[in-house]
C-alpha cells in the first residue's frame, strides 16, 4: 500500500449519468469495433518506430496525435481543442483527470510520455504498446521510490521530451475536482522547463456538463467503454492554458497552485460545470458535487464519505481501489 496515492469520493452510482437504450446497441457495437481496430492498428504499427532514427525508437509524434484523435472520435466523442499551442522542447503537461479518454486527448494536444504503474509493462499487448509509446513505468507502491520517480521525470524533461501527468492522482466525476499534488512539479523546477496546464471537460450536445465519460470508483473499464459508446452527442473540450515559466514560482507548491488554478477552476474562477462551485483544493476529501451528481433516490450530502475513487497515484493511469493513508506530497 502506498502513502502517496490519493483517492476521490466519486462513484458510478452517485455521480455518473446512465445513457443509451436498446436502440443504441448497434451503434455502440460499431463504435467499439472501430476502437478495437484502431488499437490493434497501433499495436501492429508500433514496431515501425524502430526504423525511424529521428524518433529514437518511438512512434513519431504526428502519428501519435492523429491516432489519438481517431480513437476518441471512433468512440463517438467529438473533440474540440482550443487554447495555446504546446511549445517544443521539454514540457510538463498537466491536466485534470476524469476519464480514460483523457489520455488520448492529451496526446492529441502534444504527444508526451505518460506515467504508468510498473506492472503494466507485463500486460499483454497494452504493455508492449505503452513501452513503444515511451511510457515511464514507475513503482507507485513504494514511497521511497518517489524521489527517484521525480528524478526520472526531470531527466526526460531535460532531454527535451514532454511528460504528461494527472496531478490530482485520481479520477473525479467532472462536476467536482481534487487538487494538484505538488511532488511532480519538482521535476519541472529541477529541469527548468515550463509547465502547461490543460483543462478537460465533457459536455452533451446541448452544452450541459456530462459525467457519462467519468471512470471513477469501482467502475469497470468495460462498463465505462459501453456507456461512452452508447451515448449520443458527447463532446470533449480540451483547452490548453498559457505556459507557466518555472522561474516565476519559488517552489513546487506555488507552481502546483498556479497550474491547478487554471486547469481545475479556470481563468474566470468558474468550475468544470460552469456553476462557479469547485471542489478544488479541499484538504478533507469532501465531495462538493453538483446536485446533479446524486441520483434522485440518493440525495446529495456534502462531505459524505463514499468508497475510494479510482486512484492513479502520481499522475499514473490505471485502476486501483483500496484504502489509503493520508497522501504525502
Amino acid at each position: 500500500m502506498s502513502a502517496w496515492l490519493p483517492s476521490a469520493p466519486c462513484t458510478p452510482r452517485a455521480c455518473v449519468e446512465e445513457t443509451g437504450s436498446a436502440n443504441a446497441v448497434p451503434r455502440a457495437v460499431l463504435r467499439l469495433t472501430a476502437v478495437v481496430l484502431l488499437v490493434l492498428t497501433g499495436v501492429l504499427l508500433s514496431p515501425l518506430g524502430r526504423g525511424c532514427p529521428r524518433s529514437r525508437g518511438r512512434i513519431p509524434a504526428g502519428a501519435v496525435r492523429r491516432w489519438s484523435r481517431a480513437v476518441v472520435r471512433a468512440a463517438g466523442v467529438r473533440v474540440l481543442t482550443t487554447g495555446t499551442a504546446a511549445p517544443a522542447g521539454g514540457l510538463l503537461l498537466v491536466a485534470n483527470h476524469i476519464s480514460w479518454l483523457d489520455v488520448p486527448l492529451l496526446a492529441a494536444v502534444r504527444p508526451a510520455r505518460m506515467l504508468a504503474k510498473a506492472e503494466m509493462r507485463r500486460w499483454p499487448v497494452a504493455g508492449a504498446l505503452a513501452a513503444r509509446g515511451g511510457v515511464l513505468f514507475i513503482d507507485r507502491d513504494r514511497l521511497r521510490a518517489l524521489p527517484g520517480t521525480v528524478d526520472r521525470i526531470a531527466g526526460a524533461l531535460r532531454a527535451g521530451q514532454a511528460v504528461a501527468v494527472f496531478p490530482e492522482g485520481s479520477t473525479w466525476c467532472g462536476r467536482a475536482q481534487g487538487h494538484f499534488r505538488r511532488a511532480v512539479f519538482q521535476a519541472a523546477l529541477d529541469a527548468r522547463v515550463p509547465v502547461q496546464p490543460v483543462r478537460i471537460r465533457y459536455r452533451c450536445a446541448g452544452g450541459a456538463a456530462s459525467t457519462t465519460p467519468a471512470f471513477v470508483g469501482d467502475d469497470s473499464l468495460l462498463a465505462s467503454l459501453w456507456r461512452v459508446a452508447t451515448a449520443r452527442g458527447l463532446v470533449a473540450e480540451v483547452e490548453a492554458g498559457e505556459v507557466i515559466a518555472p522561474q516565476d514560482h519559488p517552489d513546487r507548491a506555488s507552481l502546483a497552485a498556479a497550474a491547478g488554478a487554471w486547469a481545475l477552476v479556470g481563468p474566470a474562477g468558474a468550475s468544470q460545470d460552469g456553476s462557479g462551485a469547485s471542489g478544488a483544493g479541499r484538504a478533507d476529501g469532501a465531495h462538493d458535487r453538483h446536485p446533479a451528481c446524486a441520483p434522485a433516490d440518493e440525495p446529495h450530502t456534502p462531505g459524505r464519505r463514499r468508497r475510494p475513487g479510482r486512484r492513479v497515484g502520481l499522475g499514473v493511469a490505471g485502476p486501483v481501489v483500496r484504502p489509503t493513508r493520508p497522501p504525502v506530497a
Side-chain angles (χ1 to χ4, degrees), residues 51 54 80 92 95 125 138 255-256 277 290 297:
R54 296 179 63 183
L80 295 178
L92 184 64
V125 181
I138 66 171
L255 187 56
H290 189 282
D297 61 344

Side-chain angles (χ1 to χ4, degrees), residues 32-97:
L32 292 179
T33 299
V35 170
V36 170
L37 289 176
L38 281 168
V39 171
L40 291 177
T41 299
V43 173
L44 294 175
L45 296 182
S46 62
L48 296 180
R50 299 176 182 176
C52 183
R54 296 179 63 183
S55 67
R56 299 182 181 180
R58 291 190 293 273
I59 305 171
V64 173
R65 185 180 291 110
R66 290 189 294 271
W67 179 82
S68 299
R69 290 183 68 93
V71 168
V72 177
R73 294 183 68 176
V77 181
R78 188 160 60 97
V79 182
L80 295 178
T81 304
T82 60
T84 306
L91 176 70
L92 184 64
L93 203 62
V94 297
N96 59 305
H97 203 10

Side-chain angles (χ1 to χ4, degrees), residues 45-290:
L45 296 182
S46 62
L48 296 180
R50 299 176 182 176
C52 183
R54 296 179 63 183
S55 67
R56 299 182 181 180
R58 291 190 293 273
I59 305 171
V64 173
R65 185 180 291 110
R66 290 189 294 271
W67 179 82
S68 299
R69 290 183 68 93
V71 168
V72 177
R73 294 183 68 176
V77 181
R78 188 160 60 97
V79 182
L80 295 178
T81 304
T82 60
T84 306
L91 176 70
L92 184 64
L93 203 62
V94 297
N96 59 305
H97 203 10
I98 299 172
S99 170
W100 51 271
L101 287 166
D102 301 343
V103 176
L105 286 173
L106 268 188
V109 173
R110 178 181 170 182
R113 302 187 68 177
M114 302 292 300
L115 301 187
K117 55 185 181 179
E119 53 266 35
M120 183 180 176
R121 185 191 291 269
R122 299 189 294 270
W123 289 5
V125 181
L129 183 61
R132 183 57 54 198
V135 167
L136 291 168
F137 295 101
I138 66 171
D139 186 351
R140 62 181 185 175
D141 289 328
R142 293 177 55 240
L143 183 58
R144 293 182 179 180
L146 181 56
T149 297
V150 173
D151 289 342
R152 289 181 60 198
I153 297 172
L157 295 172
R158 290 191 191 97
Q161 300 171 355
V163 177
V165 183
F166 299 110
E168 286 175 287
S170 176
T171 50
W172 291 69
C173 69
R175 284 180 171 141
Q177 306 87 46
H179 66 276
F180 277 3
R181 309 282 166 171
R182 60 181 182 263
V184 70
F185 291 90
Q186 186 63 46
L189 293 173
D190 293 344
R192 298 180 183 275
V193 301
V195 175
Q196 184 169 28
V198 177
R199 182 166 59 250
I200 300 174
R201 292 173 291 192
Y202 296 96
R203 299 192 183 279
C204 304
S210 174
T211 61
T212 295
F215 185 39
V216 295
D218 54 1
D219 202 9
S220 69
L221 179 58
L222 182 59
S224 181
L225 281 164
W226 185 256
R227 191 166 56 244
V228 170
T230 55
R232 298 193 62 174
L234 278 180
V235 178
E237 297 179 351
V238 184
E239 187 174 3
E242 295 288 340
V243 171
I244 302 173
Q247 60 268 24
D248 294 341
H249 297 274
D251 52 39
R252 62 190 182 188
S254 173
L255 187 56
W262 199 95
L264 298 174
V265 181
S271 65
Q272 300 291 348
D273 64 357
S275 64
S278 172
R282 289 292 299 272
D284 59 1
H287 189 356
D288 286 337
R289 286 178 298 192
H290 189 282

